[in-house]
Amino acid sequence: MERRDTVVLSGDLRTEDQRMRTRYILEEKWESGVENLDVDLSEVTTIDFGSMTELLKIRNRFIQAGTKVELKNIPLRIRRIMQIFRVPISGS
């Protein structure tokens, strides 16, 4: 049976506290051996280039290890930023 999990990120991801929280949550998922991970961004209010880059680095680490990762429920304002930088919304 596949191990599937969801992480819900929220708030202003630009702050150091939120970056540390995000790292901690995703590191826990990494150690759990999850095979499919949904990252729900519906509650994210603000993101900057640095925090987006960090999130994508972590996401790529999962993908390179064979974990299917999908960014979901991305608010329109954040989706537009991702489109400008040609960030793939989902990956496997």
Side-chain angles (χ1 to χ4, degrees):
M1 183 174 205
E2 288 185 350
R3 294 202 40 163
R4 178 175 210 89
D5 211 340
T6 299
V7 170
V8 179
L9 301 181
S10 62
D12 184 347
L13 298 186
R14 299 175 301 174
T15 68
E16 188 57 33
D17 286 344
Q18 281 293 75
R19 284 185 188 190
M20 287 176 30
R21 179 180 170 272
T22 299
R23 272 186 238 122
Y24 178 79
I25 291 169
L26 292 174
E27 189 62 34
E28 281 187 328
K29 297 303 174 193
W30 174 264
E31 291 175 6
S32 77
V34 67
E35 295 172 6
N36 292 290
L37 181 64
D38 294 332
V39 180
D40 186 328
L41 300 173
S42 62
E43 297 180 25
V44 173
T45 57
T46 311
I47 193 168
D48 63 2
F49 185 75
S51 54
M52 184 183 307
T53 299
E54 187 166 338
L55 175 62
L56 294 173
K57 282 181 183 178
I58 295 168
R59 174 185 168 267
N60 289 342
R61 177 180 168 203
F62 278 97
I63 291 171
Q64 290 174 355
T67 301
K68 182 177 179 187
V69 179
E70 189 168 349
L71 303 178
K72 295 190 159 213
N73 303 319
I74 304 168
L76 183 58
R77 64 194 169 285
I78 294 172
R79 184 179 293 271
R80 286 183 183 148
I81 293 168
M82 293 177 139
Q83 288 172 338
I84 290 170
F85 291 105
R86 297 184 179 163
V87 174
I89 302 299
S90 64
S92 56

